[in-house]
Amino acid sequence: MVVLGGNMRLKACQEAGLKEVPIIKASELSAEKQREFIVKDNVGFGSWDWDMVANEWDNDILEEWGMDILGFNIDDDQMKDSFNLPDGDKEPFQQQTFTLSDVQSEQIKNAIADVKKTEEFKYVETFGNENSNGNALYLICMQWVEQKK
């Protein structure tokens, strides 16, 4: 008796004190059909363990079921013997990831592009960082800090 879809409805029913709720048993679905149902039911509003998605699911099947696999569109031709990722952290550097709405993301991309065109960007302290977007974002943050004073 594992809930495949409707976890939040079940939680709401439990919090409302309901003792009985109607269900549809998926016992006649194969394991693969159950997995498909879970993905399709959560495509619009589900939260995902992206490590698990990357390691345990086929991207083509997930996209066929309606999941948008952002950032995983790497062609087999791009995966050559020379492709590798560095092991461990690149001290003293750190990579940060943020989740933004489309509007926020576009505004930040535009701000980074704009600051890269400035004279000040040519002389920003990079601390050895070769990533121009990171350096531009650092400059934007430093300008904001100065304005706050």
Side-chain angles (χ1 to χ4, degrees), residues 6 11 22 25 36 56-57 68 75 78 88-90 115 131 136 139 144:
K11 184 177 178 181
K25 286 188 179 180
E36 179 180 352
E56 297 180 20
W57 295 77
D68 189 13
D75 298 322
Q78 292 174 296
D89 293 333
K90 298 192 304 183
V115 82
N131 182 281
L139 179 57
W144 178 82

Side-chain angles (χ1 to χ4, degrees), residues 2-146:
V2 175
V3 177
L4 298 181
N7 301 68
M8 296 308 295
R9 286 184 296 271
L10 176 60
K11 184 177 178 181
C13 290
Q14 289 169 333
E15 289 178 5
L18 299 178
K19 300 294 182 201
E20 293 184 25
V21 294
I23 64 166
I24 299 173
K25 286 188 179 180
S27 56
E28 295 184 20
L29 295 178
S30 68
E32 183 61 26
K33 284 294 184 185
Q34 288 180 18
R35 287 168 53 99
E36 179 180 352
F37 177 84
I38 291 167
V39 170
K40 286 182 175 180
D41 188 57
N42 287 289
V43 159
F45 301 102
S47 60
W48 304 96
D49 177 344
W50 289 108
D51 287 334
M52 184 200 64
V53 169
N55 292 312
E56 297 180 20
W57 295 77
D58 180 282
N59 289 350
D60 293 334
I61 290 173
L62 291 174
E63 287 179 343
E64 182 181 312
W65 292 344
M67 181 183 266
D68 189 13
I69 308 294
L70 298 173
F72 293 102
N73 297 328
I74 299 175
D75 298 322
D76 289 337
D77 292 339
Q78 292 174 296
M79 299 295 287
K80 299 196 177 7
D81 292 341
S82 63
F83 179 80
N84 58 37
L85 294 173
D87 293 330
D89 293 333
K90 298 192 304 183
E91 292 183 21
F93 305 108
Q94 299 193 21
Q95 183 173 353
Q96 297 181 355
T97 304
F98 302 93
T99 302
L100 304 165
S101 71
D102 290 342
V103 172
Q104 292 170 322
S105 178
E106 192 64 31
Q107 188 167 5
I108 289 172
K109 286 178 191 175
N110 291 339
I112 288 172
D114 288 345
V115 82
K116 284 181 173 181
K117 296 174 189 173
T118 66
E119 190 70 18
E120 189 175 2
F121 179 72
K122 294 177 186 177
Y123 305 104
V124 67
E125 175 58 60
T126 66
F127 304 99
N129 183 16
E130 296 178 7
N131 182 281
S132 64
N133 287 340
N135 291 329
L137 187 56
Y138 172 76
L139 179 57
I140 291 167
C141 291
M142 295 312 297
Q143 291 172 340
W144 178 82
V145 167
E146 284 301 314

